[in-house]
Amino acid sequence: MSKSLSSISDLSSKEFETIFKKIVSFKKKSKSKLKGKSIGLLFEKHSTRTRLSFEVAISRLGAYPIYINRSDTQISRGESINETAKIFSLYLDALIYRTSKQKNIRDFASSANIPIVNALSDEEHPTQVISDIFTIREIKGKSKLRNLKIVYFGDGNNIANSLALIAKALNLNLIISCPKGYEPSNKILKLAGKNLIIDNNPFTAAKNADVIYTDVWTSMGMEKEEKKRLKAFKDFQVNKNIVKLARKDFLFMHCLPAHVGEEVTQDVLNLKNSVVYRQAENKVYSAMAILDHLLS
Ligand code: CP
Ligand code: NVA
């Protein structure tokens, strides 16, 4: 079985270091050896940044991106994931896969003999947080990373889970500030151990933060809960009152797309502390580094 990236837990701290180094060299335009490879992209949920950044990354690596429309495949007529994974492995060298269930990614990875890269599931968004932690490290410096107070505001969702797992792998200080009942699962809390603190008070969480990260309160597929969530999360909006408690040189981060006026206000997105576009730009180089790592 090939090495896949289903979860942040699939990579060791040494591998993160290798990937971060590769991101730096791809930013300096280093060449890769993926010429002639064919890489599929199967997206069962909407995407702007992840799909485009992977397509561009694959082209820049000299490989060939093939976008697969699920409804055009036999999966939509009932062919199993296991069978599809075996067939994909005959034609492709890797698959970038966005789906609603983490189980689909695990099933794909267990039947395929090519790397499967999780491009977002209900449980995780590993490629996003690799790029985000790289972005923090790039701006604040590698030696500072471990001492930063990184605060995530909002839902204990796929982004929060992947941040919690990478905090564990790299020994970072992560605080998740969320309403009671919206924490990551017990499994994630246990895996993250002492590298994750839950703070249900947004004001103490924001105090002296070096990084404030947020994501939507209602993720894709949860639209039915939107009304309830707007009410539950209202005190966790990242606005001027929250960010004034952070350090002067704090970074504001968001994986995007943002629901402006809900989890973040426009004035915070416009601050010079906001690095949301740097995050989005780094997704191309991170995608290159991840693919190069998995396929070399
Ligand atoms: N951040 C992110 O994954 O964005 P997309 O949903 O546009 O891919
Ligand atoms: N938590 C969000 C992330 C989007 C990139 C979602 O799953 O919709």
Side-chain angles (χ1 to χ4, degrees), residues 42-177:
L42 177 61
F43 279 63
E44 297 173 355
K45 285 178 146 184
H46 295 92
S47 174
T48 297
R49 283 145 285 265
T50 309
R51 175 181 163 183
L52 257 176
S53 60
F54 265 100
E55 284 200 33
V56 170
I58 293 163
S59 307
R60 288 195 193 167
L61 287 167
Y64 190 73
I66 301 171
Y67 185 73
I68 304 153
N69 189 343
R70 187 187 189 277
S71 57
D72 291 343
T73 68
Q74 299 285 9
I75 310 172
S76 64
R77 293 182 58 253
E79 192 167 28
S80 71
I81 283 191
N82 296 349
E83 184 66 7
T84 307
K86 285 184 201 152
I87 300 300
F88 276 17
S89 303
L90 302 174
Y91 307 138
L92 300 173
D93 295 288
L95 178 74
I96 318 302
Y97 185 26
R98 174 172 285 199
T99 183
S100 48
K101 292 198 196 91
Q102 182 75 12
K103 185 181 177 307
N104 293 346
I105 295 181
R106 297 262 182 229
D107 286 352
F108 228 110
S110 65
S111 298
N113 51 29
I114 53 171
I116 307 298
V117 178
N118 179 351
L120 181 146
S121 71
D122 55 341
E123 288 185 15
E124 280 203 55
H125 197 356
T127 65
Q128 178 71 45
V129 308
I130 290 172
S131 179
D132 297 338
I133 298 298
F134 173 82
T135 303
I136 300 172
R137 190 180 126 127
E138 182 181 46
I139 299 170
K140 296 285 184 189
K142 182 182 167 187
S143 60
K144 301 255 172 68
L145 195 59
R146 284 194 180 158
N147 298 321
L148 300 176
K149 180 178 179 184
I150 302 174
V151 188
Y152 171 92
F153 274 85
D155 190 22
N157 62 13
N158 41 15
I159 293 283
N161 291 344
S162 289
L163 281 172
L165 295 178
I166 206 166
K168 173 71 185 176
L170 300 178
N171 197 18
L172 310 178
N173 303 309
L174 177 70
I175 288 99
I176 291 185
S177 186

Side-chain angles (χ1 to χ4, degrees), residues 3 19 29 58 158 175 194 255 257 289:
K3 180 154 187 79
I19 290 171
K29 306 252 182 306
I58 293 163
N158 41 15
I175 288 99
K194 64 172 180 37
C255 57

